[in-house]
Amino acid sequence: MAVGHEGWLYWVGRAGEVEAFYGDTATSRRILRRWTRLIGQRARRLDAHGIRHVHTVVPDKLAIYPDLLGRPFPGLDDPPGVRLARSVAADSGAPMADLQTPLVAARDGEPVYLRTDTHWTYRGYLIAYRALCEALNAPVADHVFAGTSTRETFTFDLGEKLVPPVDEAYVAYDFPRRAERIDANALVEVRESGRAVRPRGLFVGSRVVLQNKTAPDQRRVILFGDSYIYSPGARLTAMLAETFHEVHAIWSANIDWRYVEAVRPDVVIFEIAERFLRQVPNDRIHIDRFAEARARRAVRPTLREQIRRWLR
């Protein structure tokens, strides 16, 4: 982690791996070539099913606020997500939604990233929501932009790594919800039940389905992503569910092709944070089996089960 100007915190890795990836190195070129091939393969498969699709990369804070880092860092003028978009355009032409440009354009107003976190402020989420709707020729829901906001204080993911931890005053934002959750897999249920030993780590593999009977766009969407789509919060899943009739949100860098073929959505959206591009997925996952296995391992044993184990 790096401490920049005015208390801005940045995730830069533990052993120089982010710098090696961000710069135009042999490592980053190899990884981005693999991503280019993967996105092309995904695009061809989705096209064959008649499914509209878009990939998008969430820029690291480094790419939007490089001036506040306070020291040289490779690749800030041409970050990996931008290089990947160029490579995909030249290779397959698969559609990618550009989040870098609108976030850079908005950065000098109210911040689009939290000062002590790797994630966006509410403004960042609204900008990304609008960009994804534009990429899919979908209407934005006006009430998503007319929500309520309060000032709160919280210790975010980078602030908690300092000694002592540093909290941040931020704008907590929410909006009226017309979508309702109609399904969730075992991992979500265990995490929400309070029975999990370490609930904070139980996110990868989560799947929820939201349905909106009054949505302005009647298409069905599967959204694969990471913490930017986290479903209970005012993030991308909740926002997109105010536009589309049905949103299946899956926390996974791998596409579950069995699930896609079973649901037969109109649209597939794939989102990934730029820092996670360093690992290229293989798309070999059965999301609900994966979730069930994680849920079983995570459940806190009952007193009866503990006694049985002690007596063995």
Side-chain angles (χ1 to χ4, degrees), residues 264-284:
R264 291 284 177 170
D266 303 290
V267 177
V268 166
I269 303 171
F270 180 87
E271 171 274 320
I272 189 167
E274 193 168 53
R275 62 189 176 279
F276 296 145
L277 287 173
R278 290 181 290 119
Q279 281 193 307
V280 184
N282 57 28
D283 286 354
R284 296 188 201 123

Side-chain angles (χ1 to χ4, degrees), residues 59-236:
D60 282 344
K61 190 194 299 186
L62 288 162
I64 308 302
Y65 292 99
D67 51 312
L68 294 174
L69 177 61
R71 66 175 177 85
F73 198 89
L76 294 182
D77 57 339
D78 196 22
V82 174
R83 301 204 304 272
L84 176 60
R86 281 202 308 270
S87 179
V88 169
D91 178 69
S92 63
M96 293 192 69
D98 173 21
L99 301 185
Q100 173 93 8
T101 300
L103 287 168
V104 168
R107 55 150 275 164
D108 291 330
E110 190 174 348
V112 293
Y113 281 77
L114 292 160
R115 185 171 43 85
T116 62
D117 194 87
T118 55
H119 294 89
W120 292 319
T121 62
Y122 80 96
R123 284 192 72 226
Y125 283 102
L126 290 173
I127 288 166
Y129 165 59
R130 185 183 293 279
L132 285 170
C133 286
E134 288 176 356
L136 295 166
N137 302 114
V140 297
D142 290 339
H143 65 277
V144 172
F145 292 86
T148 59
S149 58
T150 57
R151 297 289 294 184
E152 296 186 10
T153 301
F154 190 76
T155 304
F156 291 104
D157 65 356
L158 295 178
E160 70 180 6
K161 297 181 188 303
L162 295 177
V163 181
V166 173
D167 58 21
E168 178 176 355
Y170 72 104
V171 176
Y173 182 80
D174 207 351
F175 49 86
R177 310 293 175 92
R178 298 172 186 172
E180 296 180 353
R181 195 172 87 181
I182 60 171
D183 191 25
N185 68 9
L187 194 60
V188 176
E189 292 172 357
V190 164
R191 190 174 68 241
E192 293 178 349
S193 71
R195 294 183 294 130
V197 178
R198 295 184 187 85
R200 284 190 66 181
L202 294 179
F203 295 107
V204 176
S206 299
R207 177 186 61 79
V208 297
V209 182
L210 280 70
Q211 194 173 81
N212 183 350
K213 295 179 181 178
T214 63
D217 191 312
Q218 288 299 299
R219 286 179 288 180
R220 180 184 293 176
V221 174
I222 299 181
L223 169 63
F224 292 92
D226 47 41
S227 52
Y228 289 86
I229 73 167
Y230 183 51
S231 58
R235 302 191 183 187
L236 288 179

